[in-house]
Amino acid sequence: MSTFNILIAGFGGQGVLFAGKCLAYKGLTENKQVSWLPSYGPEMRGGTANCSVILSDTPVGSPIVSNPNVLIAMNLPSLDKYENATASGGKIFVESTLIDRKVERNDVEAFYIPATKMATEIGAPTLANMIMIGKVIKETGAVDFNTISEGLKKVIPARKADMLEINLKALEAGYNF
Amino acid sequence: MAEKVLMKGNEAIAEAAIKAGCRHYFGYPITPQTEIAAYMAKRMPKIGGTFLQAESEIAAINMVYGVSAAGKRVMTSSSSPGVALKSEGLSYLAGSDLPAFVVNVQRGGPGLGGIQPSQSDYFQATKAGGHGDFRMIVLAPASVQEMADLTIKGFELADEYRMTAMILADGTMGQMMEPVEIRDDAEIKTFDKPWAVTGTQKKREHNIVNSLYLKPEQLEKENFTRFERYKKIEENEVMYEEFMMDDAEICIVAFGIAARVSQNAVVEARKQGIKAGMIRPITLWPFPKKRLLEASKNVKAFISVELSMGQMVEDIELATKCTRPVMLCNRVGGMIPSPEEVLQKIKETQGGIN
């Protein structure tokens, strides 16, 4: 797969946009062609949020991902909305602490990750997003996990540098799940 | 070479403006361009510049007029309803032959409309920026890199021709992040401004910046002179990009996000054996008329893909002297056509011409 059309969707406050930035920055450090496009509706925390991330070996045309080959569903409304839009043969990552149903399609590969529960267990309840990303990298190889901290350093602002370690821990927990 | 970083289109405009030597920003917040103001609010105080959130869009454009009259690079930015408010100031800038750099990150309209991406200020930007006979140079970026590059180009063109250069972007271009490299300062052109009102030091005659000419003979002359300059711009400053046009039978014309979506559709059409191509205007005024006329000799039909109700269609028809059908593929109100919708229109058009 030379182009990853990734759609990350969930509630505002779940770090959906941040998770996307993490992937996009990592792609950039690997000299991939990348784009990141957020939804920017009037929603606030608790509303819906999603972002399109494209990682490719060739120049990115449209930055809008309407048929993802990687869907990360962080809540039920997101799975309901985007399951059918997912490309045949694609991969769907389901946050299974919050979503209690299975993927109905049988032409896609589904992964169930209790990310919110796992994040709480490692003492970082807000980092379910990073747990999901860890698993996505493991299953897709979209970016190189060994050097993931390079991407992370670019998205975590200097004033929050102390958050780097716990983010890495969450990524690893997801990767090894 | 500077390092490539990920930036939002809005931030790229702000950073590029600073690189271009702009030290004065006046604006008023409105989605989806507020990141420009936020970036300027952070950066300007650190580099000895001015960031000022004006009491209104009208105030902001008039502050631009003042700083420009003093010979400094200056900008304002807004989104559709906010730019409409600036139209009086845009006309005064034109009437006074003042350079200005203005950004419109469009949202759906008319009225207060919505906050999602749109291209429906095409007429306003290319034909009716305000009252009176005047033009603005209109630049339409289709990537974050172009948001930066065309900002620098915009400041240069504004100074060179003493007029407003406007970036006509849309919410997607403003909000998306892509890798971007901001050009080095050294490459940026600057221009002498002997007309600026900077104080005579009793060494020269007074400069006067003004748009009021009560003698019709004189006002007519001002207009004629200005339009001579516009003619030069039409000859020298047209910019466009072509995609798979060599043997194209169907030519898409699209700019900004519509061009990005159309590119996917052209690639898919080619896979299915349809000879599609695209001409992407980078300057909407001056419009790439000559290239389109030339293309009309080889292609069988044009498709205008746009986020408006066919506003660009008539420019394509005029440019090609109505020698070929011009189809419309559009979504409005904040909706964006999918590559599949564009492909469908290409197929329909293909069916019609065979």
Side-chain angles (χ1 to χ4, degrees):
Chain A
M1 205 190 297
S2 67
T3 298
F4 294 93
N5 295 312
I6 305 166
L7 187 66
I8 312 174
F11 292 124
Q14 277 184 311
V16 164
L17 304 186
F18 182 86
K21 273 188 201 175
C22 180
L23 282 173
Y25 254 111
K26 188 63 183 87
L28 176 66
T29 63
E30 294 175 15
N31 291 318
K32 286 185 163 59
Q33 307 283 331
V34 308
S35 70
W36 174 92
L37 177 70
S39 59
Y40 65 92
E43 303 93 340
M44 297 296 287
R45 185 163 302 186
T48 58
N50 71 70
C51 77
S52 298
V53 177
I54 300 177
L55 304 172
S56 182
D57 298 328
T58 52
V60 176
S62 171
I64 304 157
V65 174
S66 36
N67 300 111
N69 52 24
V70 176
L71 171 65
I72 305 172
M74 297 291 288
N75 62 10
L76 183 61
S78 299
L79 183 62
D80 289 346
K81 189 169 177 189
Y82 298 114
E83 178 176 346
N84 285 333
T86 304
S88 186
K91 295 182 164 79
I92 299 182
F93 296 82
V94 177
E95 204 298 306
S96 60
T97 321
L98 301 175
I99 304 172
D100 61 0
R101 77 165 175 88
K102 300 288 177 196
V103 170
E104 284 159 9
R105 299 256 306 264
N106 49 26
D107 61 338
V108 296
E109 222 179 322
F111 303 89
Y112 302 91
I113 308 103
T116 304
K117 185 166 158 274
M118 289 168 67
T120 310
E121 279 164 11
I122 62 164
T126 57
L127 294 183
N129 56 346
M130 290 292 111
I131 295 203
M132 296 297 283
I133 293 298
K135 181 67 174 170
V136 168
I137 296 172
K138 170 80 167 284
E139 299 299 336
T140 63
V143 293
D144 178 14
F145 190 76
N146 293 321
T147 49
I148 190 72
S149 63
E150 287 172 25
L152 209 52
K153 275 179 199 158
K154 289 191 186 283
V155 257
I156 295 181
R159 65 189 154 81
K160 287 190 181 167
D162 56 319
M163 292 299 289
L164 186 64
E165 205 177 318
I166 188 73
N167 273 274
L168 280 171
K169 198 172 161 191
L171 279 164
E172 268 159 27
Y175 190 83
N176 296 322
F177 175 73
Chain B
M1 238 170 57
E3 191 196 357
K4 275 200 174 175
V5 291
L6 275 185
M7 266 185 163
K8 279 194 170 189
N10 285 334
E11 295 164 344
I13 283 181
E15 183 56 31
I18 289 168
K19 283 273 154 60
C22 174
R23 290 293 178 273
H24 304 276
Y25 173 92
F26 306 101
Y28 189 83
I30 180 172
T31 304
Q33 64 79 53
T34 302
E35 290 85 359
I36 301 177
Y39 196 93
M40 290 303 199
K42 234 186 220 174
R43 288 276 276 128
M44 281 300 191
K46 288 182 187 156
I47 54 173
T50 310
F51 164 83
L52 202 152
Q53 182 175 320
E55 67 270 34
S56 71
E57 287 85 350
I58 302 169
I61 192 74
N62 286 313
M63 290 171 188
V64 168
Y65 183 105
V67 171
S68 181
K72 299 292 184 191
R73 282 189 166 165
V74 55
M75 72 174 285
T76 184
S77 63
S78 192
S79 179
S80 308
V83 174
L85 286 168
K86 293 181 191 294
S87 61
E88 179 192 62
L90 291 170
S91 176
Y92 277 62
L93 283 159
S96 306
D97 295 314
L98 286 174
F101 180 71
V102 177
V103 179
N104 181 359
V105 183
Q106 300 164 91
R107 51 188 260 177
L112 208 43
I115 61 172
Q116 298 299 323
S118 165
Q119 296 178 328
S120 54
D121 303 344
Y122 180 91
F123 279 159
Q124 185 196 43
T126 61
K127 299 174 201 306
H131 65 282
D133 276 312
F134 78 97
R135 289 287 191 183
M136 298 186 289
I137 294 169
V138 183
L139 305 161
S143 65
V144 173
Q145 184 65 53
E146 272 193 358
M147 291 284 258
D149 294 346
L150 293 177
T151 291
I152 291 168
K153 182 85 182 167
F155 275 102
E156 291 174 342
L157 290 171
D159 277 0
E160 183 170 359
Y161 295 103
R162 293 181 61 180
M163 61 191 288
T164 293
M166 175 181 276
I167 293 260
L168 192 68
D170 62 77
T172 325
M173 286 298 135
Q175 294 297 322
M176 73 188 281
M177 288 205 304
E178 282 184 315
V180 58
E181 183 192 337
I182 313 275
R183 278 165 47 184
D184 275 344
D185 307 46
E187 300 167 50
I188 293 160
K189 284 190 267 179
T190 54
F191 297 83
D192 288 336
K193 296 178 178 178
W195 45 264
V197 283
T198 52
T200 64
Q201 315 276 324
K202 293 188 181 163
K203 285 176 190 157
R204 60 162 168 81
E205 287 296 301
H206 286 284
N207 282 340
I208 295 172
V209 172
N210 169 48
S211 68
L212 178 67
Y213 296 91
L214 290 174
K215 289 181 190 151
E217 299 81 3
Q218 200 190 353
L219 182 54
E220 182 186 51
K221 195 172 144 269
E222 290 293 330
N223 274 284
F224 282 160
T225 313
R226 197 167 294 126
F227 271 72
E228 282 302 312
R229 213 158 68 231
Y230 292 165
K231 216 168 157 190
K232 270 188 209 152
I233 297 169
E234 288 195 274
E235 279 160 18
N236 300 327
E237 306 298 349
V238 173
M239 288 188 281
Y240 57 86
E241 189 181 74
E242 303 191 13
F243 185 65
M244 298 191 168
M245 279 302 293
D246 282 353
D247 59 345
E249 292 181 346
I250 294 172
C251 174
I252 286 179
V253 185
F255 64 96
I257 183 63
R260 293 286 292 262
V261 172
S262 299
Q263 189 175 321
N264 288 25
V266 168
V267 170
E268 193 51 41
R270 288 276 173 175
K271 276 187 201 158
Q272 299 185 17
I274 303 171
K275 289 179 177 172
M278 175 165 69
I279 294 175
R280 173 172 75 87
I282 298 173
T283 50
L284 296 176
W285 192 89
F287 197 66
K289 287 185 204 164
K290 275 185 200 158
R291 179 62 189 99
L292 285 173
L293 183 61
E294 192 187 295
S296 70
K297 288 166 192 150
N298 303 311
V299 309
K300 292 177 178 163
F302 292 89
I303 303 172
S304 180
V305 182
E306 51 182 272
L307 276 59
S308 55
M309 292 303 293
Q311 295 187 23
M312 191 167 62
V313 169
E314 51 195 72
D315 274 345
I316 302 169
E317 286 176 341
L318 278 173
T320 57
K321 305 186 196 292
C322 294
T323 48
R324 294 284 179 268
V326 182
M327 316 301 285
L328 172 64
C329 178
N330 68 329
R331 296 295 298 268
V332 297
M335 302 299 291
I336 299 174
S338 66
E340 292 72 32
E341 285 173 74
V342 180
L343 179 63
Q344 189 52 39
K345 182 59 86 169
I346 292 173
K347 285 180 178 170
E348 274 172 33
T349 308
Q350 171 82 355
I353 58 178
N354 280 342

